[in-house]
Amino acid sequence: MRIAIVQFPGSNCERETIMAVKRAGMEPVEFLWNESHEKLITMDGYIIVGGFSYEDRSRAGIIAALDPIMQIIKRESEKGKPILGICNGAQILVESGLVPGIENYKTGMALTQNKRIVNETILGTGFYNNWVKMRLSDTYQRNAFTKYLTPKDILHIPVAHAEGRFTLSGALQVEIEMQGLNVFQYCDDEGKIISDFPINPNGSMLNMAAVSNKAGNVLAMMPHPERTPVGDVIFKSMRHYIQSMQPPTLLPLSYYPRSTTPALFTPEPHAHTWIVEMIITDNAALTVQKSLQKIGLPVTVKRQVHWEIQCESLATLEAIQATGVLINERKAFLANPKSLGESGESYLVRNLEDIEGQEKLQILRHHFDIKDVFSIKSGVLWHFSFKKDTLGDISQTILKTNVIYNPYAHKCFRFI
């Protein structure tokens, strides 16, 4: 019983995963993203390991999700083979559309920035590393990873991530609950589902720790069951599923996302705009460029940081710049808005909750005592250059890859 341990550049949890697979009585087979696809299809199951694939460039999981081997894994999933994505692996499954399993593998949810929340107040954001407790949800659908568990079993296992918060639309949330696809939830010592931190370590909707597809053979899990023998029941369940695997009934979810067209960006009245450009090589832009070229899109990519600042005066702007909070002048400089060029198209991407903008505002007010700054909005400007005769087709294809934004975590605007 051979399980592919799927690794991308930046994966770093292969050793723990190999050990867990062996403890469950299966044979782990290391598989690198650039190996033969023929080797991949001979496997009985797949685990996409944790880590930081492609250094989380653009955002966690998206570059690996666009790799050609994910198309092979999609086809193998349709045969009923089990696929487990752990932490970064979960992010890859969500970005590739394997979870939650909407028709045509459409993106249906996001794993976005952590929010540590108590009484609706944000205490912190960013990377969080600790031990948590989780259990099966009361309405979970039995699947390839739950054979030896019940909702009474509480698993004490570690988490280590910065973008682990499941977020999705209300309509999909209802269907996921009805179908029992919210498989694991964060809970307290007694199994109670409490939404506040630290019980919910990242602010996930419904306390989601792991979500499956409707067929039950694909699971995206943010905690790390491979790092403790307590999690072995998940891998042993995978083994049992493979032994008794029946031809799957593959039905997509009823939910289908509406297509959206980015609106034209309109700045706030009287706001000041800063466009920050890197002096050093921008590896995020270069990685996105190479990923798009790899799937046949002949583009050149440029990325800049966009700040929209509302403050009292130009003197306040100078004070903000002097702090280095919004621009590190050793690595970047303020660019002319026309520096994007005239060829191609540009898009401004903003996080729906703009946690970064809120944090920067708080730092300026409380750490630097700059009181007359009223609002800061953050974003990323992406510019794609390509031949004008292919302008419309290429720009639409780029947007459909979701490489620069996930509609459940971000807002995208056309930028002129």
Side-chain angles (χ1 to χ4, degrees):
M1 197 174 298
R2 305 171 75 223
I3 305 299
I5 310 301
V6 181
Q7 302 163 55
F8 294 94
S11 299
N12 61 17
C13 297
E14 63 276 3
R15 182 176 180 273
E16 305 99 302
T17 308
I18 287 169
M19 292 172 66
V21 169
K22 286 181 177 178
R23 289 196 301 268
M26 299 182 289
E27 178 188 352
V29 179
E30 291 196 68
F31 183 87
L32 301 180
W33 81 102
N34 56 359
E35 291 190 67
S36 167
H37 295 175
E38 296 301 318
K39 175 182 174 181
L40 194 63
I41 64 177
T42 65
M43 300 293 134
D44 299 300
Y46 307 88
I47 300 176
I48 306 176
V49 302
F52 301 92
S53 61
Y54 296 96
E55 295 183 336
D56 289 346
R57 295 174 185 175
S58 188
R59 66 180 182 280
I62 183 60
I63 302 299
L66 295 175
D67 193 281
I69 73 166
M70 292 309 299
Q71 298 302 319
I72 306 298
I73 290 177
K74 285 177 182 178
R75 291 203 290 270
E76 295 303 296
S77 77
E78 292 167 2
K79 300 174 184 177
K81 293 183 180 180
I83 300 165
L84 174 62
I86 302 172
C87 197
N88 187 234
Q91 294 160 340
I92 294 168
L93 290 180
V94 167
E95 292 291 354
S96 67
L98 273 156
V99 171
I102 295 170
E103 188 175 354
N104 297 324
Y105 297 106
K106 288 286 188 180
T107 303
M109 56 173 51
L111 278 162
T112 190
Q113 294 169 299
N114 294 347
K115 285 196 308 183
R116 294 182 279 282
I117 306 171
V118 175
N119 296 327
E120 300 182 353
T121 299
I122 300 176
L123 300 183
T125 61
F127 185 79
Y128 184 69
N129 179 14
N130 209 337
W131 288 75
V132 299
K133 293 183 173 66
M134 71 176 190
R135 68 168 176 88
L136 292 175
S137 66
D138 292 329
T139 58
Y140 81 100
Q141 174 204 62
R142 187 167 291 278
N143 57 59
F145 309 94
T146 60
K147 169 68 177 177
Y148 300 111
L149 289 166
T150 73
K152 293 182 180 180
D153 297 310
I154 299 173
L155 303 182
H156 189 208
I157 59 178
V159 294
H161 56 253
E163 298 176 44
R165 177 165 57 100
F166 281 99
T167 180
L168 60 159
S169 72
L172 180 57
Q173 177 181 325
V174 169
E175 186 171 5
I176 279 180
E177 287 189 281
M178 289 179 61
Q179 297 286 350
L181 307 187
N182 181 18
V183 180
F184 285 95
Q185 292 177 286
Y186 299 110
C187 66
D188 68 5
D189 294 345
E190 299 176 350
K192 294 179 182 177
I193 308 301
I194 298 172
S195 60
D196 278 354
F197 178 82
I199 306 304
N200 184 337
N202 51 36
S204 276
M205 296 175 67
L206 302 176
N207 279 46
M208 291 177 177
V211 177
S212 77
N213 66 339
K214 189 173 179 178
N217 65 313
V218 184
L219 185 70
M221 174 179 289
M222 285 310 302
H224 284 274
E226 80 282 14
R227 294 184 177 177
T228 169
V230 171
D232 286 355
V233 287
I234 292 170
F235 300 96
K236 291 176 181 177
S237 295
M238 186 178 181
R239 181 177 186 272
H240 179 273
Y241 171 84
I242 294 171
Q243 288 176 325
S244 58
M245 193 168 65
Q246 302 294 321
T249 301
L250 296 175
L251 295 174
L253 294 173
S254 299
Y255 176 82
Y256 198 83
R258 295 179 179 178
S259 59
T260 57
T261 301
L264 181 65
F265 173 70
T266 304
E268 294 289 336
H270 311 298
H272 302 276
T273 297
W274 282 1
I275 295 177
V276 179
E277 186 169 329
M278 299 284 285
I279 296 172
I280 60 177
T281 301
D282 188 341
N283 288 325
L286 191 59
T287 299
V288 168
Q289 177 177 300
K290 289 183 177 180
S291 297
L292 292 174
Q293 290 175 350
K294 194 173 182 179
I295 60 175
L297 298 176
V299 298
T300 300
V301 179
K302 185 174 184 178
R303 185 182 73 111
Q304 298 170 314
V305 175
H306 183 276
W307 298 105
E308 192 175 57
I309 307 163
Q310 288 191 317
C311 61
E312 189 70 33
S313 64
L314 291 177
T316 303
L317 274 183
E318 292 175 358
I320 292 171
Q321 185 171 351
T323 67
V325 170
L326 302 189
I327 175 173
N328 183 341
E329 294 182 345
R330 296 178 180 178
K331 297 181 179 179
F333 62 94
L334 287 179
N336 187 308
K338 295 182 180 180
S339 63
L340 288 172
E342 298 180 357
S343 62
E345 290 199 356
S346 301
Y347 297 93
L348 172 63
V349 176
R350 283 180 168 171
N351 191 293
L352 288 175
E353 298 184 53
D354 196 11
I355 294 172
E356 185 174 7
Q358 296 175 50
E359 286 183 324
K360 299 300 186 186
L361 179 63
Q362 181 174 310
I363 290 170
L364 290 171
R365 286 177 172 173
H366 298 295
H367 292 267
F368 293 93
D369 200 33
I370 301 177
K371 303 298 185 183
D372 52 353
V373 53
F374 311 123
S375 170
I376 292 180
K377 294 183 179 180
S378 66
V380 177
L381 273 174
W382 294 93
H383 181 72
F384 302 97
S385 300
F386 35 74
K387 293 181 179 179
K388 289 186 178 180
D389 57 351
T390 59
L391 186 66
D393 291 339
I394 286 189
S395 61
Q396 289 305 308
T397 303
I398 291 171
L399 292 177
K400 287 178 181 178
T401 67
N402 289 339
V403 69
I404 60 171
Y405 81 110
N406 183 311
Y408 299 93
H410 307 94
K411 183 73 174 177
C412 183
F413 303 89
R414 284 195 307 112
F415 190 86
I416 298 177

